[in-house]
Structure formats: C-alpha cells, structure tokens
Amino acid sequence: MIEVELGVERGIRHMDVQRATGTPGGRRLRALRERAGKTQLWVEAEAELGTGYLQRIESGRVAQPERATLERILAALGARYSERREVMERFGYTVPTPLPDEDDIAWACAVSHDELHGVPFPAYVLDCRTRLLAWNRYVPHLFGLSPRDPQLGGLARRPILAAWLDPTSPLARLVVEPDAFFPALIRATRAETEFMQGEPWYAEMMRELQELPRFRHYWELVEREPQTASAARTLVPVRLAVPGAGTLSFRLASERFIRDARFRLIHFIPFDVATMRQCEVWAAAD
C-alpha cells in the first residue's frame, strides 16, 4: 500500500514538473511568441483558439495539439519557414520544404538588404534552388556587366549554379581554375541542400543540371570522393578573370538565413591585396 502511494506521489510530482517546464515543442513555441512580443491572449484571438488553450500547450498540459491548430498559431506569430519547421517537428509532425513563393522572396530580399549592401565586396542572395534574387553594387562589376542592368545580364531569378557550369554563360568564362572551383562549389551546394533532397523540386533541379556535361563531369568526380569525417566546408576558393580588372581571388562564404534556411547570403571575400584594392576601386566608381 505504501509503495502504491509513493508511486502515485512520484507520478503527481512528475506531472507538476512537466507542467512547469513544458514540452520541447511548448517551450520553443513560448520562446517564439515572446520574441514576437505577443501575449497568449492576443495569439489565441488571432488563431481563433479558446482562452487559455495556448497556455496549456506552452506549459505541456496539451502535449500533442492538432497540426492545424499549430499552423494557425504559427501563422498568427508570423513565423518563417525554419521557425515553423522547428516547432512542428518538436511536436512530431513532418514538414516539407517547398520552393519559396513570391511573399517569401520579397521577405528575404527585404530582411537581407542592410547586410547585403553593408559589405565592401560582392555579395548576393540565393534561394534553395540557387536562384539569384538580390545582389549588391559590386556584383555587376565582378561579372563584367552593366551596373544599370536590372536583370544582371539575364541572371536574375535564374539558377546561379547552372550559370557557373554552363560553358555558354558569361560566368563560366570568368573561372580561372575550374578543376578546383567547380568540385568545391558542388560540395558546398550538396551540403547546403542536404535536408531538401527528397523534395520534388530538388529532383527537377538535378535533372536540369544533369543536362550540362560539365556538371555531370564534376558531379561524378565528387560522388567518387571518399566520405570525410567532418561536414563539407562552405568556404569555396575561386579565382576569376574579371574584365578590366585582371585575375581576382576570393573565398565564397555561404550563410543560411536564421529564420528561413531556404535562403543563403553568399559573400565574395577578397583573398589578396590586389582583390581588396579592386573592390575599393569599384566602390569609388559607384
């Protein structure tokens, strides 16, 4: 009898602790709401929930809310893709990775504007399909194109990976050391898109890229490489023969957006003094 009473008491204490600390999903949802500066009552009204229901989710008293309920809460909070994915997965729901829509793209361009234009070297924004969405004033100079061209020589909204690997593209002709740059670029892209490789749009992207002989060649080379113990580095070396500037050396650094990992900011970081000086010349010209 005493053992039964002790077991009941431990069970009650466990439930009290769970209610105090919440579930992983509930804690993440609370943190997201607090960062957005919203009260539980406000979110409940926006998501059409009963009063007190969000508090029960956050505290763990509702351990498995319905998927549609979570979607309404996340929509009320204005959560972006990565935030939605993290919350939903912590409640046990799988989340697909669709291509960004026009609203997502507009958000990505707006939120990255200051960082994109605040660096003293070329930088641009890509989505998960490697489409070129936005760039700063240095990129047209780097590509040998007119700074006043709003479509950047037809590259805007096009997959930049295909442009680098298509011999007829103006970008491919800039690459000084293709046998070093293209495998590194493919490794980095594979690492960046690893969690998206089951999506239909990814299979379509690969079919299009496989039509490029140069892509097939370097892809097969990378496929035959032995597996490494560490993750692939996203710092890619590249030397470009830039019209009017000579050969410039950069390291390409890729940074995923915190709130939506379908977008990346690519920095062309100057790697030698000559390249740094050329970036200064471009800045003075603009």
Side-chain angles (χ1 to χ4, degrees), residues 108-130:
C109 292
V111 77
S112 64
H113 181 273
D114 290 348
E115 187 172 357
L116 182 64
H117 295 278
V119 295
F121 44 73
Y124 52 63
V125 173
L126 305 178
D127 70 1
C128 52
R129 209 183 188 288
T130 78

Side-chain angles (χ1 to χ4, degrees), residues 25-33 54 57 73-74 77 87:
R27 290 193 297 271
R28 184 67 184 94
L29 194 58
R30 182 191 301 115
L32 194 61
R33 175 182 59 79
L54 181 57
I57 294 176
I73 293 171
L74 292 167
L77 291 172
V87 169

Side-chain angles (χ1 to χ4, degrees), residues 8-259:
V8 170
E9 184 178 349
R10 283 195 295 269
I12 292 173
R13 285 201 302 269
H14 175 74
M15 287 188 292
D16 289 341
V17 170
Q18 184 180 25
R19 289 172 182 171
T21 61
T23 60
R27 290 193 297 271
R28 184 67 184 94
L29 194 58
R30 182 191 301 115
L32 194 61
R33 175 182 59 79
E34 291 175 347
R35 191 175 71 180
K38 305 298 184 181
T39 65
Q40 291 175 336
L41 187 62
W42 185 91
V43 176
E44 287 167 347
E46 288 291 309
E48 300 180 349
L49 303 176
T51 302
Y53 189 70
L54 181 57
Q55 192 277 333
R56 293 196 293 274
I57 294 176
E58 290 182 359
S59 65
R61 283 182 287 180
V62 177
Q64 187 63 40
E66 293 185 358
R67 186 185 189 110
T69 300
L70 287 173
E71 292 283 10
R72 294 204 306 275
I73 293 171
L74 292 167
L77 291 172
R80 305 307 309 180
Y81 165 76
S82 293
E83 296 165 331
R84 296 199 309 271
R85 183 185 182 103
E86 185 179 7
V87 169
M88 297 296 286
E89 288 183 343
R90 291 192 182 192
F91 280 108
Y93 295 108
T94 58
V95 178
T97 307
L99 285 174
D101 60 24
E102 288 301 319
D103 288 340
D104 295 326
I105 291 171
W107 169 84
C109 292
V111 77
S112 64
H113 181 273
D114 290 348
E115 187 172 357
L116 182 64
H117 295 278
V119 295
F121 44 73
Y124 52 63
V125 173
L126 305 178
D127 70 1
C128 52
R129 209 183 188 288
T130 78
R131 293 179 296 190
L132 180 63
L133 305 179
W135 54 90
N136 66 12
R137 58 180 175 164
Y138 298 91
V139 171
H141 294 293
L142 179 69
F143 292 169
L145 301 170
S146 169
R148 289 175 293 279
D149 181 355
Q151 296 301 312
L152 202 65
L155 295 171
R157 296 297 185 97
R158 306 284 295 178
I160 199 78
L161 181 59
W164 282 118
L165 287 151
D166 183 352
T168 65
S169 164
L171 297 194
R173 294 193 290 269
L174 301 179
V175 179
V176 174
E177 298 171 337
D179 288 343
F181 175 55
F182 292 138
L185 187 63
I186 287 173
R187 289 186 210 105
T189 302
R190 281 162 52 111
E192 291 283 354
T193 59
E194 184 176 7
F195 71 98
M196 312 172 196
Q197 291 176 6
E199 301 296 334
W201 61 261
Y202 181 87
E204 180 185 355
M205 178 180 75
M206 289 301 300
R207 283 195 297 271
E208 293 176 1
L209 288 170
Q210 289 289 348
E211 293 177 0
L212 297 172
R214 181 175 284 182
F215 176 83
R216 290 200 306 271
H217 170 71
Y218 287 108
W219 178 269
E220 291 169 2
L221 288 179
V222 172
E223 285 275 89
R224 292 197 295 268
E225 292 176 347
Q227 291 186 344
T228 58
S230 60
R233 295 178 62 85
T234 55
L235 197 64
V236 177
V238 58
R239 297 177 68 226
L240 302 178
V242 178
T247 299
L248 304 180
S249 297
F250 298 92
R251 292 295 182 269
L252 271 61
S254 174
E255 299 177 8
R256 287 181 181 175
F257 283 26
I258 294 173
R259 298 185 63 196

